[in-house]
């Protein structure tokens, strides 16, 4: 996911347009005006709103190109890469956790990711503890169909032995989630003494679903007193025939919630969501409230996605 922030241009309503991305795809951009509070104590008290796109005739060309190059590049790059969500389960055994540095390599039919250190768990501050599941993100160019993984550690630290229960790897852009069962020690004094193992996926535990696609979501917070929010902002996209995405939080954690959606700011996110089709008919955007500064005045939202040739 790519995040950027810049000051918002004012006085140009959102638009919807289709533009060339300069490669094998075209991109389609939608603009959703809001210009209302999402706050319990303001306006009608609602903290969730449904928005529909407006016509492109309302926008000036100079604002259309203003500051867009970074996000445009990010969307094109995202479309050519794969983001893997890697979940690692440490066994529920005595001394199963490790303080060593854990690494993983994903092997595909065309290439591999190289050695990737699993440093920052999205779930636990202290990673690889007994009975816990940790989650990591691995990004790579296209390596083809995932065939196997190699996972291990460097045997450094006070408590290095590790009992690995399983690894689960989800690739939304490929529409596939694979389970790699282990159930063995990675410990020089246990089992066969190995501290790294090659593991193959369990076919019966593989889940396949419709692949996700990357969307560039740009959120414009208004330039009025108290407009910013520290709340957990989420979005849902709706296509034709009632197709919609899951509800997606735009911030990964509370630190990001404090950083983004400030008064008169623009925040851009590139996220993978279900494919709702070539036309986005509306969006649902809001926040979960709570905290001292949850009220939010949203100016508009812009959404861009890539379309294959001929569309």
């Amino acid at each position: 996911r790519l995040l950027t922030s810049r000051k918002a241009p004012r006085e140009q309503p959102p638009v919807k347009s289709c533009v060339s991305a300069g490669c094998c795809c075209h991109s389609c951009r939608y603009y959703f005006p809001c210009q209302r509070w999402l706050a319990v104590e303001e306006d009608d008290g609602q903290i969730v709103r449904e928005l529909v796109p407006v016509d492109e005739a309302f926008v000036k060309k100079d604002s259309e190109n203003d500051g867009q190059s970074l996000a445009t590049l990010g969307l094109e790059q995202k479309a050519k890469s794969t983001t893997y969500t890697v979940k690692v389960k440490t066994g529920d055994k005595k001394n199963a956790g490790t303080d060593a540095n854990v690494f993983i390599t994903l092997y595909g039919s065309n290439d591999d990711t190289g050695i990737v250190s699993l440093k920052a768990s999205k779930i636990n501050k202290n990673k690889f503890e007994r009975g816990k599941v940790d989650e990591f993100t691995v990004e790579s160019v296209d390596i083809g169909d995932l065939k196997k993984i190699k996972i291990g550690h460097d045997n450094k630290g006070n408590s290095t032995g590790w009992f690995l229960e399983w690894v689960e790897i989800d690739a939304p852009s490929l529409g596939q989630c694979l389970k790699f069962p282990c159930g063995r020690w990675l410990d020089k004094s246990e089992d066969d003494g190995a501290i790294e193992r090659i593991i193959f996926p369990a076919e019966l535990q593989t889940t396949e679903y419709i692949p996700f696609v990357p969307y560039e979501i740009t959120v414009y917070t208004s330039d009025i007193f108290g407009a910013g929010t520290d709340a957990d902002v989420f979005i849902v996209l709706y296509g034709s025939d009632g197709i919609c995405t899951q509800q997606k939080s735009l911030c990964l954690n509370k630190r990001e919630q404090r950083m983004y959606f400030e008064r008169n700011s623009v925040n851009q996110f590139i996220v993978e969501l279900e494919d709702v089709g070539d036309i986005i008919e509306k969006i649902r955007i809001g926040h979960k409230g709570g905290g001292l500064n949850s009220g939010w005045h949203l100016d508009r939202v812009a959404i861009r996605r890539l379309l294959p040739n001929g569309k």
Side-chain angles (χ1 to χ4, degrees), residues 8-22:
R10 308 259 46 96
E11 300 178 359
Q12 286 88 28
V15 303
K16 169 181 129 181
S17 62
C18 290
V19 297
S20 172

Side-chain angles (χ1 to χ4, degrees), residues 2-8 67 70-71 218-219 221 259-269:
L2 175 70
L3 300 177
T4 64
S5 185
R6 60 183 175 85
K7 289 297 181 182
L70 179 60
T218 308
V219 180
T221 298
M259 288 174 58
Y260 302 115
F261 311 118
E262 296 296 306
R263 172 180 174 175
N264 193 32
S265 67
V266 175
N267 302 115
Q268 294 173 330
F269 308 87

